[in-house]
Amino acid sequence: MKRAIIIIVILLLAGAAAWYFFYKKEEKPVVLTTERPKVGYISRSVTATGTVQPVDTVAVGSQVSGTIKVLNADFNAKVKKGQLLAQLDKSLFQAQVDQYKANLALARATLAYQKSTFDRQSQLYNVGAISKADYENAQNQYQTAQASVESVQAQLSGSQKNLDYASIYSPVDGVVMTRNVSVGQTVAASFNTPTLFIIAKDITKMQVQAAVSEADIGDVRIGLRVTFTVDAYPDISFSGTVNQIRLEPVVSANVVTYSTIITAPNQDLKLRPGMTANIFIFTKEVDSALLISAKALKYKPDEALGKQYLFFPDTVDEREVAVEAKRSSNNPLSAPHHRGDSSTREVDTAPRTGTPAFVWVKIGDSLVEKKITTGLNNDTKVQVLTGLDPDDEVINGEEIAVKGAPKSGTVRSPFMPPRRGNRGGGGARSGAGGAGGGAGGGR
């Protein structure tokens, strides 16, 4: 019996040794990924698409009908004010002018004859040689001849105008964008004025008509800085300024957008009418801001780290205040109530800044939770207003240590618009659903 117990004990020890040396999984240590706050540039932006077009265009048409006989302007032609662009066949208009000139000469001859007759009849009537009826008849014929001369003169003036309208001149200095007629083509101006040319006044100044969604339009204001790209030059970022926000809504497929006019210089003439622009309207920008990654706000240490580090969480009272403030900032209809204070704070309708949040900081072998105040949050970077120093080692995640694994580098978000200049940080753009919100509060 004793021998059997010894054998069993030996087998158990052998099994335990085999499990320990061959089957037990090695516990891999958890490595915290940290970062130090950096001073840089952060922005929040609204994205939209739009069409590049000249600031001002003029449609040149014809007020008379006829056949195009002369054409002096083509696409992309630079024209001056008063320059002859096209000319209709003037033969019919000239014939009408000649006819009214002859009619005017006849009317004037008739007027001279009726005036002589009226003068003679007046002398005879004054001496009593003719009746009053004969006198009034001569007077009526003379006045009729006068009216006939005025009528023919008006008709001649109208026909002369039509003859002048057969020559079409440029009303402004500019560049011909569109030519809708050719030599020999008949122009019919009976019902509406046909457009022969479209002239852009100044193509060194362009504008972009952006379609901004109703969810984003509340953050857009006149004077905001804008950058945009076009497919023709994907590596070039063009700059502009919000010049006008039109009140008229545009509804397409149950999506409401508002036309926002953005002015942009075009000195190098790279922008052409009709180009599609991918637009970033910067609604908030901060230079020299203390920045941390947005994922640091969401990090919460796992309990398993208690074997490696000591935890020092923040106080409960401060956390409750921060959570309550966060709830209030998300719901503008409610105001926070501080513990022990029944007064109600006034609701702040300004953009959310100074939002409380919590991050974990690594100090030696200790993990300390710190309360911070955040400003702009573009979902990639967060502006820190108070609570952190550039030397703090902020924890933004953790990973399992693997031998020979390379250290993870900083990955730039593919959704971020280009940074302005060489400033640090970055500005993420908001999607169609709205601009990026303020920094998140506590967890």
Side-chain angles (χ1 to χ4, degrees):
M1 184 66 181
K2 184 176 181 181
R3 183 178 180 181
I5 294 175
I6 294 175
I7 293 174
I8 293 174
V9 171
I10 292 174
L11 291 176
L12 291 175
L13 292 175
W19 173 83
Y20 181 83
F21 289 104
F22 297 102
Y23 296 99
K24 180 182 178 181
K25 293 183 180 179
E26 181 182 359
E27 291 187 1
K28 298 179 180 179
V30 177
V31 178
L32 298 177
T33 58
T34 62
E35 62 177 292
R36 296 187 185 275
K38 296 181 180 180
V39 177
Y41 165 81
I42 185 173
S43 66
R44 186 170 60 195
S45 61
V46 169
T47 62
T49 58
T51 304
V52 178
Q53 53 190 223
V55 174
D56 195 5
T57 58
V58 178
V60 181
S62 175
Q63 290 185 284
V64 294
S65 301
T67 303
I68 299 293
K69 185 177 182 180
V70 178
L71 199 61
N72 293 333
D74 203 350
F75 292 96
N76 302 335
K78 294 183 178 180
V79 296
K80 297 292 184 180
K81 183 177 181 180
Q83 178 178 335
L84 181 65
L85 302 179
Q87 191 176 81
L88 303 179
D89 186 2
K90 293 186 176 182
S91 57
L92 294 178
F93 301 107
Q94 187 63 52
Q96 194 174 30
V97 169
D98 295 340
Q99 179 183 356
Y100 284 125
K101 285 182 178 180
N103 292 342
L104 180 61
L106 178 61
R108 285 175 176 173
T110 303
L111 175 62
Y113 171 76
Q114 294 297 338
K115 183 177 184 303
S116 176
T117 300
F118 175 68
D119 292 342
R120 185 172 56 254
Q121 294 294 84
S122 297
Q123 293 177 359
L124 294 176
Y125 176 72
N126 291 334
V127 297
I130 60 173
S131 64
K132 186 175 181 180
D134 293 335
Y135 169 76
E136 291 178 347
N137 183 48
Q139 184 182 34
N140 178 63
Q141 290 179 353
Y142 171 60
Q143 292 176 346
T144 300
Q146 284 182 322
S148 178
V149 169
E150 294 177 356
S151 175
V152 175
Q153 281 181 335
Q155 291 174 340
L156 176 61
S157 178
S159 62
Q160 186 64 51
K161 280 289 184 183
N162 289 336
L163 179 62
D164 295 339
Y165 287 148
S167 298
I168 300 166
Y169 300 93
S170 173
V172 294
D173 296 342
V175 178
V176 177
M177 293 176 52
T178 305
R179 173 179 62 82
N180 296 324
V181 291
S182 301
V183 175
Q185 182 174 341
T186 301
V187 176
S190 303
F191 300 101
N192 52 21
T193 302
T195 300
L196 308 184
F197 304 92
I198 296 179
I199 300 177
K201 282 187 177 181
D202 187 4
I203 59 174
T204 62
K205 297 178 182 178
M206 304 293 279
Q207 69 180 18
V208 182
Q209 185 170 347
V212 181
S213 68
E214 59 177 330
D216 298 334
I217 198 65
D219 294 330
V220 179
R221 302 182 306 279
I222 294 176
L224 291 179
R225 188 176 71 91
V226 178
T227 62
F228 62 93
T229 60
V230 294
D231 293 340
Y233 308 100
D235 298 329
I236 299 178
S237 179
F238 299 91
S239 60
T241 306
V242 176
N243 184 57
Q244 184 184 48
I245 303 173
R246 295 179 179 173
L247 299 178
E248 181 183 9
V250 178
V251 183
S252 177
N254 294 329
V255 177
V256 180
T257 59
Y258 292 86
S259 296
T260 301
I261 306 302
I262 299 164
T263 56
N266 188 33
Q267 298 297 332
D268 52 4
L269 304 182
K270 289 185 177 180
L271 295 176
R272 300 188 180 185
M275 285 184 169
T276 300
N278 303 309
I279 303 161
F280 305 96
I281 303 175
F282 293 91
T283 58
K284 285 286 185 179
E285 295 182 277
V286 178
D287 288 320
S288 302
L290 191 64
L291 305 176
I292 60 174
S293 61
K295 59 183 180 180
L297 300 181
K298 302 177 182 179
Y299 174 74
K300 183 178 180 181
D302 190 86
E303 295 180 357
L305 290 175
K307 299 178 181 179
Q308 299 177 240
Y309 301 97
L310 298 176
F311 289 175
F312 294 93
D314 207 329
T315 61
V316 177
D317 290 343
E318 289 183 343
R319 180 176 302 282
E320 289 180 356
V321 172
V323 171
E324 192 173 7
K326 168 68 173 159
R327 186 184 303 112
S328 175
S329 63
N330 289 334
N331 182 11
L333 299 180
S334 63
H337 294 271
H338 294 276
R339 301 182 66 184
D341 183 9
S342 59
S343 61
T344 302
R345 188 172 61 185
E346 182 180 356
V347 176
D348 185 9
T349 58
R352 291 184 300 167
T353 57
T355 305
F358 290 87
V359 295
W360 287 85
V361 177
K362 180 182 176 184
I363 304 176
D365 58 354
S366 301
L367 304 184
V368 179
E369 188 179 27
K370 284 190 174 184
K371 178 185 176 183
I372 64 173
T373 305
T374 62
L376 278 184
N377 183 347
N378 59 25
D379 297 331
T380 303
K381 296 289 184 180
V382 179
Q383 177 191 9
V384 179
L385 300 179
T386 60
L388 287 179
D389 295 324
D391 295 332
D392 288 335
E393 199 171 356
V394 181
I395 305 172
N396 56 29
E398 57 188 46
E399 58 186 20
I400 303 299
V402 179
K403 294 182 180 181
K407 295 183 179 179
S408 59
T410 302
V411 180
R412 185 176 182 272
S413 171
F415 300 102
M416 292 170 56
R419 291 185 298 178
R420 184 173 63 176
N422 294 324
R423 296 181 176 89
R429 65 191 185 198
S430 63
R443 295 176 298 278

